[in-house]
Amino acid sequence: MSTTFDVYPSTDLIPSFAQLLTVATNHLTAFLRSYDITTPVTLDVAMRHKADETNRDLPFDLNAPAWWPNDHYAWFFVQGVPGGTDAYARIMNDLHRECLVEEVAGEKGSGLGDLPKRSLQIGRYWAFRRSAGQLAITNVAYVILAASLAELTNGFVHSSDLAWDYRLLPAQPAEFLKWYFRPELATDANCKDWSQRCINGIAEELQSAQKFGRA
């Protein structure tokens, strides 16, 4: 089963790929160090065409705005580690607008202020997807990427497919980064157990990649 986190901006500013990678790498490094995982990590990105089953990387500019055509996807990954997350840049359609209004209406979105309204006016969003079978480090990295992009665009993150405890979403990035994937702060038993097992495996994953020259 795949899970997705969506990023809704409240500003027209679109940061560059390089800016996103820098901020997200810093957040990921800080998260790992909080669990005494000190192996260096660097996030990277490739651009690919949806119709190309060979997953061939396409040329693009890291300093360009992190927005891409609908028939492409961005592949974010931790350097030297297998797997990654596919990300999509999307324009809201009427159905998505209606769903967004319903999802953040009332008490669930009360802490967001006017962010949902401003996001609807912007009319675009990003989606970061984690497919089944990814390594534990990717389970953390894909959401930190989403939160970092929300931070850079003064937006918020949301997911409605059980990517994390639905009761805590939507959320602004600063708040989100405080409790996402932290078993000691999880309010859901399944999230607590899953995140703890993943954290226990991350150090071994990174050490293995380093040992075999992939990191």
Side-chain angles (χ1 to χ4, degrees), residues 76-94:
F76 290 91
F77 57 96
V78 178
Q79 286 184 2
V81 178
T85 174
D86 45 315
Y88 303 87
R90 293 172 172 164
I91 300 297
M92 293 185 193
N93 56 31
D94 290 341

Side-chain angles (χ1 to χ4, degrees), residues 63-74:
N63 294 312
W67 190 261
W68 51 94
N70 187 55
D71 59 352
H72 290 59
Y73 69 92

Side-chain angles (χ1 to χ4, degrees), residues 45-202:
V45 63
M47 188 60 59
R48 297 174 178 175
H49 199 287
K50 289 180 182 178
D52 187 353
E53 297 182 357
T54 67
N55 295 326
R56 178 173 54 92
D57 292 346
L58 302 173
F60 75 105
D61 184 0
L62 273 175
N63 294 312
W67 190 261
W68 51 94
N70 187 55
D71 59 352
H72 290 59
Y73 69 92
W75 179 252
F76 290 91
F77 57 96
V78 178
Q79 286 184 2
V81 178
T85 174
D86 45 315
Y88 303 87
R90 293 172 172 164
I91 300 297
M92 293 185 193
N93 56 31
D94 290 341
L95 178 60
H96 192 90
R97 287 175 178 274
E98 292 176 9
C99 290
L100 180 58
V101 170
E102 292 178 2
E103 287 286 322
V104 301
E107 188 176 343
K108 278 190 67 65
S110 61
L112 297 178
D114 66 346
L115 288 182
K117 180 180 178 180
R118 288 158 58 189
S119 180
L120 287 168
Q121 291 173 341
I122 297 298
R124 62 170 179 265
Y125 69 105
W126 292 266
F128 289 80
R129 187 183 75 97
R130 176 195 64 89
S131 59
Q134 293 292 339
L135 294 179
I137 186 65
T138 300
N139 296 335
V140 180
Y142 91 112
V143 187
I144 286 183
L145 280 158
S148 299
L149 186 51
E151 178 183 304
L152 288 165
T153 59
N154 193 29
F156 63 96
V157 294
H158 188 48
S159 177
S160 55
D161 61 8
L162 302 180
W164 195 249
D165 188 345
Y166 183 71
R167 294 169 295 181
L168 299 175
L169 297 164
Q172 295 186 59
E175 172 195 5
F176 184 72
L177 287 167
K178 289 179 181 178
W179 45 252
Y180 175 73
F181 225 77
R182 295 189 178 275
E184 69 275 15
L185 299 178
T187 58
D188 176 85
N190 290 329
C191 291
K192 179 182 179 69
D193 177 68
W194 178 59
S195 57
Q196 186 63 69
R197 286 187 286 109
C198 286
I199 289 170
N200 291 343
I202 287 175

Side-chain angles (χ1 to χ4, degrees), residues 18-64:
Q19 288 174 306
L20 173 57
L21 291 172
T22 296
V23 171
T25 294
N26 288 339
H27 281 314
L28 180 57
T29 298
F31 175 89
L32 295 176
R33 286 179 177 172
S34 71
Y35 291 102
D36 297 322
I37 302 171
T38 58
T39 304
V41 292
T42 302
L43 287 164
D44 208 341
V45 63
M47 188 60 59
R48 297 174 178 175
H49 199 287
K50 289 180 182 178
D52 187 353
E53 297 182 357
T54 67
N55 295 326
R56 178 173 54 92
D57 292 346
L58 302 173
F60 75 105
D61 184 0
L62 273 175
N63 294 312

